[in-house]
Amino acid sequence: HVQLVESGGGSVQAGGSLGLSCAATGISTCMGWFRQAPGKEREGVATIDSLSSTWYADSVKGRFTISKDDAKNTLTLQMNSLELEDTGMYYCASEDYGGSCLSAAYRYWGQGTQVTVS
């Protein structure tokens, strides 16, 4: 069982930057960031696999960067040029899955951290 704890959310003006961190009790083959805006379904933001191959949602490409530190069991999401549409609750997730991390059925989730862009 993997436990995940996110931190780093907050309020920022459009165009600004925020960095999110996720402390994990272990590193899984697939880890990712997801977000849910009010009234909308949760959506994938970025994923990273055991080889550090990454995937980004089209809406965040070029602005967000996902990375991980296996030695520290930490997943991060650097968010630059934030837009109003980036507002939402951001969740860290992990799963051991041999296929595409985008299609993994993530079992382990953090409690979420709020990002508000105004």
Side-chain angles (χ1 to χ4, degrees):
H1 183 80
V2 177
Q3 293 182 323
L4 305 167
V5 179
E6 303 95 336
S7 61
S11 296
V12 65
Q13 290 188 335
S17 298
L18 277 177
L20 304 183
S21 292
C22 174
T25 54
I27 293 294
S28 305
T29 55
C30 286
M31 299 194 76
W33 288 97
F34 296 77
R35 68 185 180 189
Q36 187 167 20
K40 294 187 177 181
E41 293 187 354
R42 186 171 59 198
E43 63 175 355
V45 175
T47 63
I48 188 167
D49 67 16
S50 59
L51 299 179
S52 295
S53 294
T54 57
W55 168 87
Y56 295 94
D58 288 343
S59 59
V60 307
K61 281 181 182 176
R63 301 188 297 119
F64 290 12
T65 302
I66 188 172
S67 61
K68 64 186 178 81
D69 186 331
D70 291 342
K72 297 181 178 179
N73 288 352
T74 301
L75 180 71
T76 62
L77 184 69
Q78 179 62 39
M79 305 183 293
N80 299 325
S81 302
L82 282 161
E83 303 171 353
L84 298 179
E85 294 74 20
D86 295 318
T87 294
M89 187 70 77
Y90 282 68
Y91 299 90
C92 169
S94 73
E95 180 58 59
D96 280 320
Y97 183 63
S100 166
C101 290
L102 179 59
S103 59
Y106 289 86
R107 286 179 293 167
Y108 306 113
W109 295 85
Q111 82 289 349
T113 186
Q114 179 67 37
V115 172
T116 302
V117 184
S118 60

